[in-house]
C-alpha cells in the first residue's frame, strides 16, 4: 500500500512538473499560445549544399523561417536576389529548392515557424525574412544605431552577428550579444 | 620508428600542402589557356582596383567583401557576413581544396566586380597573390 502511494505521488508530481514547465516554456509574447507544440524553434540546417552555396554570402537561414511558397519564389528568381545575381546551375538549384520546401515553415511544425506563418498573409509570399511582421515585432526595441548603424552588424539579415547561437536555431534574447554594445536583455 | 614519425609529420602537413597543390594546378591550367609569368604584385594591384558596376553605379573592388590584407577576415558588403581570409598561409585546410569551387567563385565574383569574366592571366595573377601571402 505504501509502495502504491509512493508511485502515485511520483506520477502526480511528474504531471504537475510537466504542466508547469510547459507553461513556463511557452512564449506568451504576442498572440501565440503554441505551448503544446513539442519543438520550440526552427530545425537546424541539414543540407551541406544549401549551407555552402547560400551560406557563403549570408547567414544560412533555417528553412523554417519562410513558407514553402516563399522558398519556391526565391529559388526561381536567383538572378535578381536582393539586387545581386546569385544564379546556380539547374541541378544545384533543384536540390536546394527541394530541401528548402521540405523543411519550410509549413512543412516542419515548431513553435517559431507557427508564429512566422501567423504573421504572413496567406496570399503573400515574402522573400525578406528580416522584415516579416513577427521579426519586426521582435526587434522593435532595438535602436537602428545598434543594427543598421553598427558596422559590425550592418543589417538585421546578419542574424549571427548578434544571435550568437543562431546556427543552432537559438534566437532567444539570452543568447544575444550586440557587437560594440554587449548583451541585450529587456 | 623514424619512418613512423616521418609519415606522421607528412600527414600533418597534408592540408596546407593540398591547398597549395590545388592552387598550383590551377595556375598550370591557366598557363595552358595562354597565361604566363604570373605576378603576385599585379594580383595585389588588381585586388584593390575599383570598378563601377553598370547596374548600380556603385564603386566596388575585391576588397568590398574580402579584406585588403589577405590574412584578415573580410565582410560581405551587403549582408555583413564574415568572409574567411584568402592568404594561402592562413586559409583553412578546405579553403582551396576544390578546383570547381575556385572557378565558380572566379566566375561569379569577376562578373560582380569587373562586369566580365577574368582572363586566365588575371586568375593566375590573383592566385600568385594568394600564394605569396
Amino acid at each position: 500500500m505504501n509502495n502504491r502511494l509512493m508511485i502515485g505521488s511520483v506520477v502526480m508530481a511528474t504531471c504537475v512538473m510537466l504542466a508547469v514547465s510547459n507553461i513556463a516554456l511557452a512564449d506568451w509574447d504576442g498572440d501565440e499560445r503554441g505551448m503544446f507544440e513539442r519543438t520550440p524553434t526552427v530545425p537546424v540546417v541539414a543540407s551541406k549544399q544549401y549551407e555552402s552555396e547560400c551560406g557563403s554570402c549570408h547567414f544560412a537561414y533555417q528553412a523554417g523561417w519562410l513558407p514553402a511558397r516563399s522558398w519556391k519564389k526565391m529559388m526561381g528568381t536567383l538572378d535578381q536576389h536582393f539586387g545581386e545575381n546569385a544564379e546556380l546551375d539547374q541541378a544545384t538549384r533543384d536540390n536546394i529548392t527541394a530541401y528548402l520546401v521540405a523543411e519550410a515553415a509549413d512543412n516542419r511544425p515548431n513553435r517559431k515557424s507557427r508564429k512566422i506563418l501567423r504573421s504572413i498573409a496567406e496570399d503573400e509570399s515574402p522573400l525578406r525574412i528580416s522584415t516579416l511582421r513577427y521579426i519586426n515585432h521582435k526587434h522593435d526595441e532595438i535602436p537602428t544605431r545598434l543594427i543598421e548603424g553598427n558596422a559590425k552588424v550592418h543589417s538585421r539579415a546578419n542574424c549571427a552577428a548578434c544571435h550568437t547561437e543562431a546556427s543552432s536555431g537559438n534566437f532567444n534574447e539570452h543568447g544575444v550579444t550586440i557587437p560594440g554594445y554587449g548583451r541585450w536583455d529587456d | 620508428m623514424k619512418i613512423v614519425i616521418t609519415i606522421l609529420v607528412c600527414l600533418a602537413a597534408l592540408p596546407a600542402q593540398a591547398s597549395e597543390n590545388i592552387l598550383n594546378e590551377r595556375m598550370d591550367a591557366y598557363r595552358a589557356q595562354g597565361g604566363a609569368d604570373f605576378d603576385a604584385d599585379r594580383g595585389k594591384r588588381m585586388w584593390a582596383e575599383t570598378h563601377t558596376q553598370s547596374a548600380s553605379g556603385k564603386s566596388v573592388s575585391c576588397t568590398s567583401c574580402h579584406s585588403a590584407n589577405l590574412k584578415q577576415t573580410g565582410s560581405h558588403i551587403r549582408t555583413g557576413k564574415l568572409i574567411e581570409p584568402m592568404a594561402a598561409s592562413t586559409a583553412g585546410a578546405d579553403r582551396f581544396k576544390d578546383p570547381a569551387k575556385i572557378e565558380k567563385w572566379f566566375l561569379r565574383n569577376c562578373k560582380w566586380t569587373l562586369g566580365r569574366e577574368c582572363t586566365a592571366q588575371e586568375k593566375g595573377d590573383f592566385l600568385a597573390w594568394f600564394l605569396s601571402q
Side-chain angles (χ1 to χ4, degrees):
Chain A
M1 189 60 201
N2 242 356
N3 245 354
R4 284 178 67 186
L5 191 71
M6 205 170 81
I7 293 169
S9 310
V10 169
V11 169
M12 179 65 105
T14 309
C15 288
V16 169
M17 248 170 58
L18 281 176
V20 170
S21 65
N22 218 340
I23 293 168
L25 281 173
D27 189 352
W28 291 90
D29 191 85
D31 56 356
E32 176 59 41
R33 298 184 184 204
M35 59 181 166
F36 296 113
E37 187 63 69
R38 281 176 305 147
T39 324
T41 189
V42 289
V44 296
V45 170
S47 159
K48 283 267 167 261
Q49 200 172 28
Y50 170 67
E51 204 159 2
S52 67
E53 294 296 338
C54 308
S56 301
C57 295
H58 55 71
F59 175 68
Y61 310 102
Q62 290 87 351
W65 287 107
L66 287 174
R69 59 183 188 275
S70 290
W71 287 123
K72 285 183 197 156
K73 186 174 169 190
M74 184 101 67
M75 297 302 287
T77 53
L78 284 179
D79 57 330
Q80 293 160 53
H81 188 63
F82 302 98
E84 306 287 349
N85 184 345
E87 272 177 299
L88 295 170
D89 64 78
Q90 184 77 38
T92 309
R93 196 183 71 184
D94 289 350
N95 273 338
I96 293 178
T97 307
Y99 165 73
L100 291 169
V101 166
E103 298 273 305
D106 34 0
N107 289 333
R108 285 288 299 272
N110 65 79
R111 291 206 292 271
K112 183 86 59 200
S113 291
R114 188 119 64 102
K115 292 177 201 175
I116 288 287
L117 291 176
R118 285 196 182 180
S119 84
I120 303 173
E122 273 181 22
D123 59 347
E124 282 177 350
S125 308
L127 301 183
R128 204 179 277 278
I129 299 167
S130 56
T131 53
L132 294 177
R133 195 156 56 87
Y134 171 72
I135 303 290
N136 283 341
H137 166 68
K138 283 294 196 182
H139 293 84
D140 59 3
E141 289 176 352
I142 321 267
T144 52
R145 71 185 159 84
L146 295 185
I147 301 182
E148 288 81 3
N150 185 338
K152 292 225 163 103
V153 181
H154 204 80
S155 141
R156 264 190 210 168
N158 193 7
C159 309
C162 305
H163 294 275
T164 54
E165 295 166 27
S167 59
S168 44
N170 180 9
F171 292 87
N172 188 302
E173 70 185 13
H174 305 302
V176 170
T177 302
I178 303 176
Y181 176 84
R183 292 177 59 85
W184 181 272
D185 274 304
D186 66 359
Chain B
M1 189 60 197
K2 260 187 188 166
I3 293 174
V4 173
I5 292 173
T6 314
I7 291 173
L8 284 178
V9 168
C10 288
L11 282 177
L14 268 180
Q17 193 56 45
S19 274
E20 285 191 17
N21 286 346
I22 298 281
L23 290 176
N24 282 315
E25 267 171 42
R26 284 289 85 212
M27 289 165 81
D28 285 341
Y30 302 147
R31 279 185 202 101
Q33 293 165 28
D37 303 324
F38 298 131
D39 179 0
D41 284 338
R42 209 157 44 218
K44 182 180 181 179
R45 248 178 288 131
M46 289 192 302
W47 192 251
E49 216 165 68
T50 56
H51 307 266
T52 306
Q53 280 184 332
S54 58
S56 65
K58 261 190 310 192
S59 181
V60 298
S61 71
C62 303
T63 61
S64 299
C65 297
H66 297 288
S67 55
N69 177 343
L70 293 188
K71 291 178 179 167
Q72 284 173 2
T73 303
S75 157
H76 192 281
I77 186 173
R78 190 176 282 268
T79 66
K81 185 184 157 92
L82 300 180
I83 298 177
E84 297 287 306
M86 299 299 287
S89 64
T90 50
D94 61 351
R95 194 85 174 106
F96 297 115
K97 75 171 181 198
D98 180 6
K101 187 177 170 188
I102 296 175
E103 294 308 317
K104 183 188 103 172
W105 284 105
F106 263 140
L107 178 68
R108 181 178 282 185
N109 291 348
C110 287
K111 278 184 165 180
W112 187 85
T113 317
L114 306 172
R116 60 169 174 81
E117 293 185 29
C118 286
T119 63
Q121 181 66 45
E122 288 166 334
K123 292 198 273 188
D125 289 336
F126 280 129
L127 295 196
W129 157 233
F130 299 172
L131 273 170
S132 74
Q133 296 292 302

